[in-house]
Amino acid sequence: MIRDTGIPAHLVAALSKEQTVEEILSDFPSLSKTQVEAAIEYAKAYPKRGRPYAPRSLKRTLSEMADLGVFDGDDRPEESAPRPIP
């Protein structure tokens, strides 16, 4: 855990694989640039065991999906009705 935040260092390091430090800071405004860089170095020295964290934050993934229009409603009520399972 990163001191005084409750955010796992390995989570921040996993995000750094596909996100820049600035993107991580926008997703976690309670962190400083120094904390993010230290978390990345810590994870290199002490790799996480077990299931890995996702390389993109949920906040950023949902934002990108919204920008693509995934959550926009359509005016096609016939498609939103229940359909029988074959």
Side-chain angles (χ1 to χ4, degrees):
M1 295 292 200
I2 298 174
R3 183 179 291 169
D4 299 328
T5 65
I7 301 170
H10 287 97
L11 171 63
V12 173
L15 295 177
S16 72
K17 292 177 183 174
E18 289 192 15
Q19 294 181 216
T20 65
V21 173
E22 288 74 27
E23 290 175 328
I24 294 170
L25 291 172
S26 71
D27 290 345
F28 296 95
S30 62
L31 295 177
S32 68
K33 185 175 180 176
T34 305
Q35 287 174 313
V36 171
E37 291 169 348
I40 294 167
E41 292 303 316
Y42 174 84
K44 287 179 186 176
Y46 303 98
K48 181 183 184 306
R49 292 155 99 202
R51 190 174 184 175
Y53 287 109
R56 308 271 304 158
S57 72
L58 179 61
K59 178 180 178 180
R60 187 158 304 278
T61 301
L62 291 175
S63 174
E64 289 171 357
M65 290 174 70
D67 291 343
L68 292 172
V70 172
F71 304 114
D72 294 345
D74 290 337
D75 294 331
R76 296 180 286 183
E78 67 277 359
E79 290 187 16
S80 62
R83 291 176 284 177
I85 299 173

